[in-house]
Amino acid sequence: MESIIHQAERRKRSRGLLIIAIFVALIIVAFIISMNTGFIRLTPIEVIRTLFGAGTDQQHLILFEFRLPRIVISILIGAGLAVSGCVMQGVSRNALADPGILGINAGAGLMVMLYVSFYSSKVSSSVFLLPILALIGAGATAVLIYVLSYKKGEGLIPTRMLLVGIGVAAGISAAMIVLTLRLRPEEYQFVASWLAGRIWGTSWKFVVALLPWLILFMPFVFYKAKVMNVLNMGDQTATGLGTAIERERLLLLAAAVGLAGSCVAVSGGIGFVGLIGPHLGRRLVGPKHQILLPVSALAGALLVLVADTLGRWILQPTDIPTGVVVAVIGAPYFLYLLAKTKV
Amino acid sequence: MKTSALPEDPQQAIRKVKVRSRPIAASLILVGGVILLVFGMALAIAVGAKDIALPDVWNALFHFNPDLTEHQIIRELRMPRVIGAAIVGAAFAVAGAIMQGMTRNPLADTGLLGLNAGASFALALCFSLAPGLSFLGLMLYSFLGAGMGVGIVYGIGSRSKGGLTPIRLVLAGAAVSALFTALSEGVALYFKVGQDLAFWYAGGVAGTQWLQIQIILPAVAVALVCAFALARSITLLSLGDEIATGLGQRTGMIRLFGVLIVLVLAGAAVSVVGSVGFVGLIIPHLTRKLVGVDYRWIIPCSAVLGSLLIVFADLAARMINPPQETPIGALVSLIGVPFFLYLAVKERRSL
């Protein structure tokens, strides 16, 4: 009996590793194709040659200053949002939870809209200001939701938090509708494209700004994978197994907000990755978080990378917001998986 | 949340429903609500850019004189608008109640069936490819869009191997909504019609005409009656699939009917006013809080409360900043959110 369980366990693990390997391979392929895609085309060989420092100056410039940071950012954002979503779903035990439900997208969006509607003339000069404002908006919303849903004696009940999150997000969207109506058309166009999720920061500075957050929170979440497995069994079981649910939940949620907030600040509203990444992962490798978290992260990274590449390529030279492409390619695949799998 | 983890005896569960429902409160809401609604509608007809005395409202209704401007305003502008508001409110609220009962997810609302997103995608296409389409045409296309959204969600949900479980319905709905929202965002950005779309989508009953009412009123009325007929089954479904099946309910059929009713109700409502979907989320929560967990009470009470909310929201939309109108969708959210937050913080059990 024991050995059968062990065998099944081992088979699952090797399947998980295989899927991780496949995802990594796909990301590398997408990486090379993405390097190659854009207004000026580079052949794969030129890309590789330039990567190793043997290209022309122009190729060097295109690759290292324009495309590479954008690609790295796409991967980081995808991974960050997917892990954040995975934590949200695991902690709240609600399949619909994603970073957006905590009002993070809405909070960030409102700040951006406020800024644009009051200081519209300086839109072009605000490369760094905008992400910072978005981060402030996201953080403030998360804190507001936390304060509203925390209750002495009962602590933080996930369902309540989701409901509060929806309420707050709805309030913010209402404020945004009112603001929308007083924006000028070109301002509106700018905000709408931000909300649709256009990867905004595309220089190395943004990579440097984003990376510390991911380095801080990702390992922490991975380290807590076992705790999340236990939380998934329900409060009573988790308490019975000796987990300090309150504290763990709070820490995990804080990590999720940190991840999502920093990603949204750079990317605009690509919330769908946070919803779909973990679900893809769960349908591929099951609910064990030790393997689910990395697979979700990779799935999210691949999705955003592919979406960003396609968005640059489809309607050249205008680019389509990445968030739109993410949903357009992610949703059908997700629906296909949904129809195919039993759970 | 906590009790659902324990295995429950069906009979015991039903008894619990009976204990938790409050018929007296519900009757009070029904009677008081209807009286308040009639009063609210009369007020909404009387108040506006041109104030009209209540007796004139009465005369315009029962002794109509086409030569008087006041009577014309009441008959042609205010009445369709107010009646439209009441119908739409009831439709959204009942549709939301059915969704929450069927999916057992307190976050569910009509938007989750892909309805709103489908409608807005159809509208985005209309605005960019056929600008200048008549109001009626827009209404028709947005209903078609809503139907398409629901069709895809339901089709994918029910054709999969494990059958149409609540979780699958919810997930398919979220994915289809995201897809259509993204598509309409893309179309809107490309053709630069985003702001027009936002105007329409923000919701408003201002341009409601008698023709629209004539179209949606019968449909909504029939759907409301069906919803009421289905209420008992939905109560059982809201206790969980096992319990419902154990009591001899055909869960698949109930879900199909439920989805159809939601489509008619919310589809009609969306096509008239745009997205005021938040009504469908908060009113059922509020009603459940007031009258308990029995859907035979929740559904009619939701209808009344939903109508009240929209009629008063529309009144407020006209009064806040005359002669401009505040978008009713924004207003409903602004009224509803604090209230909803209060409920969410107060409420102990999730559904």
Side-chain angles (χ1 to χ4, degrees):
Chain A
M1 193 61 195
E2 188 89 318
S3 70
I4 295 176
I5 294 174
H6 271 291
Q7 260 177 8
E9 195 69 4
R10 210 175 312 138
R11 214 176 308 131
K12 253 188 206 160
R13 186 168 305 164
S14 60
R15 181 180 147 82
L17 289 179
L18 179 69
I19 286 175
I20 288 182
I22 292 175
F23 266 121
V24 170
L26 284 176
I27 287 178
I28 292 173
V29 172
F31 184 90
I32 292 172
I33 294 175
S34 180
M35 282 291 213
N36 195 8
T37 309
F39 192 63
I40 298 170
R41 298 189 61 86
L42 301 172
T43 65
I45 294 168
E46 278 171 338
V47 168
I48 291 166
R49 208 187 289 149
T50 317
L51 278 180
F52 287 103
T56 64
D57 277 354
Q58 191 207 15
Q59 286 167 348
H60 195 84
L61 182 74
I62 292 172
L63 221 51
F64 282 94
E65 293 307 317
F66 293 114
R67 292 203 189 147
L68 205 53
R70 185 162 176 163
I71 291 170
V72 172
I73 289 227
S74 305
I75 292 175
L76 292 180
I77 287 170
L81 284 173
V83 167
S84 168
C86 196
V87 174
M88 288 292 307
Q89 289 171 8
V91 170
S92 66
R93 295 169 61 206
N94 191 313
L96 279 185
D98 71 348
I101 243 166
L102 272 186
I104 290 170
N105 292 349
L110 181 64
M111 283 301 269
V112 169
M113 203 173 227
L114 277 175
Y115 175 76
V116 171
S117 70
F118 287 113
Y119 303 99
S120 58
S121 51
K122 295 170 203 145
V123 159
S124 52
S125 66
S126 57
V127 184
F128 264 101
L129 195 56
L130 216 51
I132 291 172
L133 282 175
L135 190 61
I136 293 173
T141 317
V143 170
L144 177 68
I145 291 173
Y146 175 77
V147 169
L148 283 174
S149 50
Y150 187 84
K151 216 173 175 186
K152 246 187 184 166
E154 289 178 50
L156 200 64
I157 294 172
T159 316
R160 179 182 297 150
M161 200 179 68
L162 290 183
L163 287 175
V164 170
I166 288 192
V168 169
I172 292 177
S173 331
M176 279 167 72
I177 291 179
V178 176
L179 274 179
T180 299
L181 303 181
R182 46 165 285 179
L183 287 182
R184 282 198 299 276
E186 68 273 10
E187 293 167 356
Y188 179 81
Q189 193 73 6
F190 175 81
V191 175
S193 110
W194 192 92
L195 289 177
R198 169 160 282 159
I199 293 188
W200 172 256
T202 48
S203 69
W204 287 112
K205 286 178 194 159
F206 285 97
V207 177
V208 173
L210 187 59
L211 209 52
W213 298 88
L214 297 190
I215 291 177
L216 186 66
F217 290 122
M218 288 268 224
F220 173 76
V221 171
F222 286 173
Y223 170 69
K224 289 285 181 190
K226 273 187 185 161
V227 176
M228 288 173 63
N229 288 341
V230 177
L231 281 179
N232 245 348
M233 293 175 183
D235 288 5
Q236 281 160 345
T237 319
T239 318
L241 287 170
T243 316
I245 348 176
E246 245 342 282
R247 203 174 59 97
E248 300 290 357
R249 218 182 249 156
L250 192 59
L251 286 174
L252 281 167
L253 283 178
V257 168
L259 278 174
S262 52
C263 289
V264 165
V266 180
S267 71
I270 315 191
F272 192 56
V273 182
L275 180 70
I276 198 181
H279 278 294
L280 287 182
R282 204 165 292 127
R283 273 163 208 283
L284 292 171
V285 296
K288 256 182 94 177
H289 281 90
Q290 286 95 326
I291 194 90
L292 174 59
L293 283 167
V295 169
S296 306
L298 290 171
L302 180 66
L303 189 59
V304 175
L305 179 55
V306 170
D308 184 51
T309 311
L310 280 177
R312 260 186 290 159
W313 174 68
I314 296 175
L315 287 180
Q316 278 182 21
T318 34
D319 54 344
I320 308 175
T322 313
V324 171
V325 189
V326 165
V328 170
I329 58 178
Y333 181 61
F334 179 63
L335 288 171
Y336 164 76
L337 274 185
L338 199 64
K340 223 190 67 173
T341 48
K342 272 199 189 119
V343 187
Chain B
M1 201 85 192
K2 274 175 190 157
T3 48
S4 66
L6 301 169
E8 262 184 308
D9 174 34
Q11 297 304 327
Q12 204 182 329
I14 289 185
R15 227 171 294 137
K16 204 177 276 170
V17 168
K18 278 194 184 138
V19 171
R20 278 205 199 147
S21 66
R22 288 187 277 279
I24 299 172
S27 319
L28 268 179
I29 289 176
L30 282 180
V31 176
V34 169
I35 294 170
L36 201 59
L37 184 60
V38 171
F39 173 71
M41 286 169 79
L43 193 67
I45 290 175
V47 175
K50 179 169 172 53
D51 280 335
I52 298 169
L54 279 177
D56 278 336
V57 175
W58 180 265
N59 282 334
L61 289 183
F62 298 103
H63 311 286
F64 180 60
N65 179 357
D67 296 333
L68 290 174
T69 332
E70 277 93 350
H71 287 200
Q72 286 286 1
I73 292 178
I74 289 173
R75 275 280 173 118
E76 293 308 318
L77 295 176
R78 301 235 176 117
M79 266 180 66
R81 167 176 199 161
V82 171
I83 293 175
I87 296 176
V88 162
F92 267 130
V94 171
I98 295 178
M99 282 302 296
Q100 288 176 8
M102 278 199 316
T103 58
R104 307 188 63 196
N105 194 323
L107 309 186
D109 68 352
T110 52
L112 257 187
L113 273 181
L115 248 157
N116 297 357
S120 75
F121 177 54
L123 278 175
L125 284 182
C126 286
F127 276 125
S128 19
L129 301 179
L133 207 60
S134 74
F135 217 76
L136 210 61
L138 287 179
M139 182 178 148
L140 182 69
Y141 280 112
S142 80
F143 187 79
L144 284 181
M148 184 174 65
V150 175
I152 296 176
V153 170
Y154 187 81
I156 286 174
S158 59
R159 290 199 56 185
S160 46
K161 279 180 189 161
L164 188 71
T165 53
I167 187 74
R168 208 186 285 276
L169 190 67
V170 162
L171 285 178
V176 170
S177 297
L179 176 63
F180 279 126
T181 309
L183 284 174
S184 48
E185 270 174 352
V187 169
L189 280 175
Y190 191 73
F191 289 96
K192 299 197 171 32
V193 291
Q195 209 162 10
D196 298 340
L197 204 60
F199 262 114
W200 199 92
Y201 208 59
V205 284
T208 316
Q209 299 152 1
W210 278 116
L211 187 59
Q212 288 171 305
I213 306 251
Q214 278 163 12
I215 297 172
I216 66 164
L217 182 59
V220 169
V222 169
L224 284 179
V225 171
C226 292
F228 190 63
L230 206 63
R232 187 176 169 272
S233 305
I234 291 175
T235 310
L236 296 178
L237 215 55
S238 73
L239 298 171
D241 276 21
E242 289 86 1
I243 292 176
T245 317
L247 288 166
Q249 296 289 320
R250 295 170 64 190
T251 52
M253 288 300 281
I254 299 171
R255 281 217 177 90
L256 175 59
F257 280 127
V259 167
L260 284 177
I261 293 173
V262 170
L263 169 62
V264 173
L265 287 175
V270 164
S271 64
V272 173
V273 293
S275 171
V276 199
F278 199 57
V279 183
L281 187 67
I282 52 168
I283 292 292
H285 271 285
L286 169 66
T287 318
R288 207 173 296 115
K289 178 87 183 161
L290 292 172
V291 306
V293 290
D294 190 340
Y295 277 80
R296 275 173 295 182
W297 290 113
I298 292 180
I299 286 178
C301 291
S302 293
V304 172
L305 292 176
S307 295
L308 267 179
L309 178 59
I310 298 277
V311 167
F312 279 100
D314 179 46
L315 186 59
R318 279 183 282 159
M319 306 220 330
I320 287 180
N321 187 17
Q324 247 107 48
E325 303 207 355
T326 316
I328 196 170
L331 208 62
V332 166
S333 298
L334 290 180
I335 300 173
V337 164
F339 201 59
F340 182 72
L341 288 178
Y342 173 76
L343 278 185
V345 171
K346 274 293 217 184
E347 199 161 8
R348 274 157 199 277
R349 90 199 116 78
S350 57
L351 225 167

